Every structure is written in C-alpha cells, then in structure tokens.
C-alpha cells in the first residue's frame, strides 16, 4: 500500500441484512475507519466503503419470518445498518454505503457479467451438489460434520441440481499464482497468504455463478430465467459503490472466513473483466465473547451501540485494537474491557491530560499551541506510520501510549506542582502541552472524539480540567 498516492480507498465487507450488526461487524468497520482517518491526514482524498449485501436467500427468509415484503424488510435493515455506523462515528463524511438492490449496482453487475461472458470466461453447465444457505456457497460432503450438517450453521445443506452459468476460474490459475508471487503483500497476514497460495496450488475448479430457482437477486443480462449468484454480485459492490477515481481499493478489510472469495475469485473476476486489481486484502481473525463463539442461539451477540453508550465509542475502539493483534483471533470480555478502560484510559490518558490542564489553569501560564504539523509526514519510516501501513493497530497504539508514559515520567521528574518560579514553570508546561498536542495527531485516527476534546482543551481552551475525558468505571 503506497503511502502517498493522493488518494486512499478502503472497504469493509458488505454485511448481510438478515440480522442487526454485532460487535464482530463493528470490528472491521472500525479498522477501516482508523485507516481512512489516518490516510485522510496524509493523503487528503479518502473514501471508506461499506454497505449491505441484500440479494441473498437469507434476506428472503428473514423477511418471511418478520412477515414483511422483501423490499420493505431490506429497506428497513439497510437503514438500521447505516444508522449504526453513524452512531459509531464512522468516517465522518468520507463514507459510502452501497446497497446491492440499488439500480446503479444492478446495472454495473450486469455489465460486468456480460463483459466476462463476451470475453469467453462464462459458460453454461449443470450444477449438482450441496448448497449451504448460511454460507451462500456450495459445499462438499467433506465440509460437513458427522451428522451431515454444516459445522458453522448446524443446518442441513440443500441438494441442488440445476442449469447454471459457470465462471471459468480454472483459466486464471496461472495468472493468480503470478499475482501472489509478484505482490507478496497482496494477501495479509502471511498465514492467510499461505493458506490461499496452497489452495490455488491444489488446483481450481470452475464455479457456478447463477441460480435457476432463485427469485430474488440480479438477473443474468442475457438469460432472464437465471439470477446472478450473490457473491459474484456482492464483490462487485466495491466498485459500483465507489467513485471511479478511487479505484482500485487500497485495502479490502475482511474476516478470515471470506478469504477465498476475496483473494481468489475476486481478482480472477477483475482480470476477466479487465478491471484494476486491489492493492491488498487483509483478513482479520474471529473473536469470541467470554470464550464463546458469537451466536444468536447463545444470545451473546453484543450490540456495539450498547457498549459505546456505556463506555464511549472511542473506548470500544481502543479496547478492540489494543487487545487483539489485528489478524489474530481473540476474546472479548466485559471484565477485560473495564480493566483496560480504567488502567489505560481513565488512569492513563485521562489522568495525564487532566493533570496538565489543571496545572495550566492554576498557574495561569499563557502560551499558544498551534495544531502541530504531522510528524510522521516528514519521516514515513516512523514506527507509527510503519505499523499503520501494515495494519498493525496494536503496534501504533503502543507507540502513542509510550509517548504518554514518557510524558508522565517527565512530569514525575520535573514536579511542576512544586515549582514556584514562573520562568522555570512555563517551559515545563509548554513542553507537556506540546507533547500532548503532537501525540494528539497520532491519536486522532484511533480515538477521534477524545482527540477533538483534547484539542479543544489545549487549543481553544473551552473545556475545563474538571471535565474528565474518561470517568472511572
Ligand atoms: N455478505 C458477506 C460479505 C460480502 S463482501 C463482498 C458476509 N457478510 S457477513 O455479514 O456474514 O459477515 C461480514 C463480516 O463479519 C465477515 O468479514 C466476518 O468475518 C465478520 N464477522 C462475523 N462474525 C465475526 C466474529 N465473531 N469476529 C470477527 N468478525 C466476524 O460474509
């Protein structure tokens, strides 16, 4: 991912709308938001795309359960998801929300389908086999558990035999291998890259990309009796939902469960359609809640808005990215959230800022701190920038907190609370405020609301030291 291309385009997966957002969905969206805000600082033109994946059989079933016409159900759910991102303070304007039932998307998908067909990479065939609606994918007997159920969804796959259009994925084997070879960073982290390269090395099969029996979804442009397979349609939303000047995506953030679609099928589709390839695909891990898989039946699917109402969105973001190295699996627990909140935010950053603000107020030292220049623009090799370039959010946060700890030590050593001579006190406080302000630029992408409050406190001076940034829990 180049750091100075004058544009930056990041995507999240577009989410299924059979349910409301849970914290696992917020995870990828927060990650994209951190990157978007960071690149906004250094590149200026940034676009974050998220959206709703609506042409799925899951949508039809969920609408039926709620006794609503599918269109109405989809409309309501798309609103709920959009509203969630607004409440969670995502992307501040530089934000696109694509719905796959939108006209523009439909037109784009049909055009690309036609183009790939005309290029000779789509052929007719018969599909015979098992289909898991939960995965919206064909599955094989060896993917099932001993009872013949999908191990993830605990449902029995449907048996399907129908006429379908097939994408000739096999034709792209060599091109994909060359792509992975030439761009070692195309798939990250490395374990995921290895997973994909060995999958492709075992040989690819052509894949069915249409459904004869589906009644919901985008029609194959030259065969009205067929609907386009939801994954073929969903992947294209990355381009149908974003302004062309941002193509290709600099990074697609996804969960590890949808890696093959993104790292194998998507680039093959793009090559077939002669469209630009993304720079990078980053697959994050899965997290459990108090050690358990997030699932509806366990009732542990945490609503991110609820947590952010209690702790603040910034604290939730801080916790998720400080706690779990991005790319690894991890666990979410309320106990740990509270612990980290109190130690790093209430007692750490919050206390430091309050102490310095109080000293400034009490001593009535006046000085002007301008918004400091971006330090990392000067040296793209700073550890912070390098971490963000690798989506190592934990490393970047560590860099920030290290600066706060250093400032804490400095204050402990200088003891400005006992200095009486003004000429000695002023430089100490000036240094402290300038350190907080500089570090604030690094904090902005991660904790945007907090960074704004700190800026106001020290620059506009309209927040008093008695307003705690993070009240203890
Ligand atoms: N609609 C497809 C994506 C199409 S992208 C062109 C889809 N949607 S999803 O709603 O099921 O999942 C969206 C994302 O949420 C996935 O990346 C998935 O990995 C992520 N997560 C779902 N549960 C999760 C956890 N428990 N932990 C972390 N992420 C999780 O797949």
């Amino acid at each position: 991912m180049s750091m100075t291309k004058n544009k930056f385009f990041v995507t999240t997966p577009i989410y299924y709308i059979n349910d409301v957002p849970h914290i696992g969905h917020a995870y990828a969206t927060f990650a994209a938001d951190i990157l978007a805000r960071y690149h906004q600082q250094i590149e200026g033109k940034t676009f974050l795309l998220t959206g709703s994946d609506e042409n799925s059989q899951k949508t039809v079933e969920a609408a039926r359960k709620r006794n609503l016409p599918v269109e109405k159900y989809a409309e309501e759910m798309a609103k709920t998801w959009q509203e969630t991102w607004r409440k969670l303070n995502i992307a501040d304007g530089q934000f696109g929300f694509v719905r796959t039932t939108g006209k523009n998307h439909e037109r784009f998908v049909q055009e690309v389908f036609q183009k790939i067909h005309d290029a000779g990479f789509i052929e007719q065939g018969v599909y015979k086999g098992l289909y898991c609606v939960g995965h919206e994918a064909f599955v094989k007997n060896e993917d099932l558990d001993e009872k013949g159920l999908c191990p993830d969804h605990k449902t029995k796959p449907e048996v399907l035999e129908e006429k379908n259009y097939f994408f000739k994925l096999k034709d792209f084997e060599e091109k994909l291998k060359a792509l992975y070879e030439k761009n070692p960073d195309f798939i990250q982290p490395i374990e995921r890259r290895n997973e994909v390269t060995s999958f492709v090395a075992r040989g690819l099969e052509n894949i069915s990309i249409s459904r004869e029996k589906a009644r919901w979804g985008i029609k194959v442009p030259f065969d009205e009796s067929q609907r386009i397979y939801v994954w073929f349609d969903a992947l294209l939303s990355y381009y149908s939902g974003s302004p062309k000047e941002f193509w290709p995506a600099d990074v697609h953030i996804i969960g590890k469960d949808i890696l093959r679609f993104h790292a194998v099928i998507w680039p093959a589709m793009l090559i077939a359609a002669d469209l630009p390839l993304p720079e990078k695909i980053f697959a994050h891990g899965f997290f459990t809640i108090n050690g358990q898989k997030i699932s509806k039946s366990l009732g542990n699917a945490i609503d991110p808005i609820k947590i952010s109402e209690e702790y603040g969105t910034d604290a939730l973001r801080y916790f998720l990215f400080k706690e779990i190295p991005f790319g690894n699996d991890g666990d979410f627990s309320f106990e740990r959230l509270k612990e980290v909140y109190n130690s790093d935010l209430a007692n750490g950053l919050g206390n430091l800022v309050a102490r310095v603000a109080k000293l400034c107020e009490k001593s009535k030292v006046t000085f002007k701190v301008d918004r400091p220049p971006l330090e990392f623009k000067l040296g793209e090799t700073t550890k912070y920038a390098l971490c963000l370039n690798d989506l190592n959010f934990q490393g970047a946060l560590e860099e920030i907190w290290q600066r706060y700890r250093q400032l804490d030590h400095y204050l402990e050593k200088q003891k400005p609370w006992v200095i009486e001579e003004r000429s000695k006190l002023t430089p100490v406080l000036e240094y402290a405020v300038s350190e907080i302000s500089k570090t604030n630029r690094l904090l902005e992408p991660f904790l945007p609301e907090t960074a704004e409050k700190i800026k106001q406190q020290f620059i506009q001076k309209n927040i008093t030291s008695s307003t705690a940034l993070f009240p203890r829990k």
Side-chain angles (χ1 to χ4, degrees):
M1 179 168 31
S2 142
M3 294 172 93
T4 45
K5 286 198 318 188
N6 303 319
K7 71 107 195 162
F8 182 76
F9 174 27
V10 57
T11 69
T12 76
I14 56 164
Y15 303 101
Y16 289 130
I17 52 165
N18 56 324
D19 211 343
V20 293
H22 66 57
I23 191 156
H25 307 122
Y27 189 46
T29 314
F30 281 145
D33 184 60
I34 293 168
L35 284 185
R37 287 176 192 269
Y38 167 64
H39 284 272
Q40 180 77 24
Q41 290 180 331
I42 56 173
E43 250 125 12
K45 275 173 76 185
T46 304
F47 195 75
L48 185 161
L49 182 72
T50 186
S52 48
D53 191 352
E54 303 184 10
N55 295 319
S56 155
Q57 200 45 39
K58 293 169 195 279
T59 310
V60 180
E61 283 165 19
R64 192 182 305 139
K65 273 192 202 143
R66 295 234 341 241
N67 251 329
L68 283 175
V70 196
E71 292 79 3
K72 186 154 188 332
Y73 171 81
E75 185 79 38
E76 272 182 18
M77 287 305 279
K79 270 206 196 106
T80 302
W81 281 78
Q82 252 169 312
E83 188 63 1
T84 302
W85 305 138
R86 202 187 54 74
K87 285 189 180 149
L88 293 178
N89 193 20
I90 296 302
D92 200 22
Q94 305 290 314
F95 162 69
F97 188 94
V98 58
R99 292 186 58 192
T100 55
T101 48
K103 277 278 156 248
N104 187 42
H105 173 75
E106 179 182 335
R107 203 177 316 117
F108 184 73
V109 171
Q110 289 184 330
E111 259 171 44
V112 173
F113 199 100
Q114 185 74 54
K115 201 168 164 194
I116 297 181
H117 179 262
D118 296 347
F121 296 118
I122 290 179
E123 62 179 12
Q124 267 198 342
V126 173
Y127 182 82
K128 212 172 153 182
L130 301 170
Y131 190 79
C132 169
V133 176
H135 276 114
E136 285 287 10
F138 291 113
V139 287
K140 298 209 166 110
N141 270 321
E142 64 252 36
D143 299 324
L144 307 178
D145 66 13
E146 58 291 345
K147 290 187 202 134
L149 305 180
C150 161
D152 291 335
H153 298 98
K154 302 288 172 218
T155 49
K156 205 174 176 61
E158 293 170 17
V159 182
L160 271 187
E161 178 170 352
E162 57 174 44
K163 192 185 89 181
N164 284 170
Y165 288 96
F166 282 72
F167 174 50
K168 293 160 89 177
L169 186 61
K170 209 169 170 33
D171 288 6
F172 295 88
E173 243 172 60
E174 292 316 311
K175 285 204 171 101
L176 288 171
K177 284 181 194 162
L179 168 72
Y180 308 144
E181 184 79 18
K182 204 170 143 232
N183 305 287
D185 288 344
F186 182 66
I187 304 162
Q188 283 188 351
I190 181 99
E191 304 88 287
R192 302 278 97 85
R193 173 189 152 80
N194 294 343
E195 197 181 306
V196 170
T197 51
S198 51
F199 173 73
V200 175
R202 289 197 295 275
L204 296 172
E205 286 173 18
N206 294 341
I207 56 160
S208 157
I209 50 163
S210 73
R211 298 287 172 272
E212 196 180 16
K213 304 216 169 72
R215 285 290 137 261
W216 174 249
I218 300 174
K219 287 181 181 151
V220 169
F222 45 82
D223 183 347
E224 294 256 310
S225 73
Q226 298 265 336
R227 303 281 170 150
I228 295 173
Y229 173 41
V230 63
W231 268 101
F232 184 95
D233 134 26
L235 288 161
L236 288 168
S237 71
Y238 292 140
Y239 288 1
S240 73
S242 58
K244 214 170 176 172
E245 71 256 30
F246 282 100
W247 296 2
D250 290 81
V251 54
H252 292 304
I253 294 179
I254 57 163
K256 64 179 184 179
D257 56 327
I258 54 176
L259 180 63
R260 282 185 199 169
F261 291 106
H262 284 83
V264 182
I265 299 176
W266 175 228
M269 281 167 61
L270 290 172
I271 299 170
D274 200 18
L275 285 167
L277 293 171
E279 293 261 335
K280 188 188 287 194
I281 289 151
F282 192 103
H284 64 72
F286 258 51
F287 53 84
T288 45
I289 306 287
N290 297 319
Q292 283 181 310
K293 212 179 139 177
I294 303 181
S295 95
K296 241 185 150 180
S297 51
L298 288 171
N300 64 353
I302 297 174
D303 176 358
I305 295 176
K306 278 221 176 93
I307 309 181
S308 89
E309 277 165 0
E310 194 180 340
Y311 284 89
T313 314
D314 279 7
L316 175 59
R317 291 162 74 111
Y318 177 77
F319 176 70
L320 289 174
F321 295 101
K322 124 112 201 190
E323 193 68 358
I324 309 166
F326 201 56
N328 292 12
D329 292 338
D331 188 51
F332 180 96
S333 85
F334 280 101
E335 221 168 273
R336 190 72 194 126
L337 168 65
K338 193 169 160 183
E339 230 171 80
V340 170
Y341 174 91
N342 282 328
S343 68
D344 296 13
L345 299 177
N347 298 341
L349 174 59
N351 197 24
L352 173 70
V353 168
R355 263 210 299 176
V356 174
K358 211 172 278 164
L359 282 164
C360 293
E361 265 175 22
K362 220 174 103 195
S363 66
K364 300 212 168 43
V365 168
T366 49
F367 48 83
K368 191 168 168 349
V369 182
D370 284 327
R371 188 178 175 81
L374 276 180
E375 284 178 78
F376 46 91
K377 193 164 190 178
L378 304 173
E380 286 187 349
T381 51
T382 60
K383 202 162 164 222
Y384 174 85
L386 290 175
C387 285
L388 274 177
N389 203 35
D390 286 341
L391 280 73
N392 173 1
F393 299 119
Q394 195 185 45
L397 280 172
E398 179 49 32
E399 280 298 297
I400 301 175
W401 255 257
Q402 192 159 339
R403 296 179 69 133
Y404 292 140
R405 282 193 297 268
Q406 272 166 2
L407 182 57
D408 256 331
H409 290 151
Y410 170 83
L411 292 173
E412 286 304 324
K413 230 171 108 197
Q414 299 291 331
K415 300 196 180 13
W417 45 90
V418 296
I419 305 180
E420 278 174 9
E421 240 177 282
R422 238 189 142 64
S423 60
K424 284 199 179 136
L425 180 60
T426 305
V428 174
L429 293 186
E430 258 176 1
Y431 175 76
V433 174
S434 103
E435 272 306 291
I436 291 178
S437 305
K438 276 190 207 157
T439 313
N440 213 38
R441 297 291 273 145
L442 313 184
L443 188 71
E444 275 171 5
F446 286 92
L447 277 71
E449 286 169 36
T450 308
E452 182 57 33
K453 284 184 195 159
I454 294 176
K455 204 170 85 191
Q456 288 194 17
Q457 184 149 29
F458 291 111
I459 299 176
Q460 278 109 30
K461 300 212 173 70
N462 53 8
I463 292 184
T464 64
S465 56
S466 56
T467 324
L469 286 177
F470 300 101
R472 261 192 80 87
K473 300 272 175 200

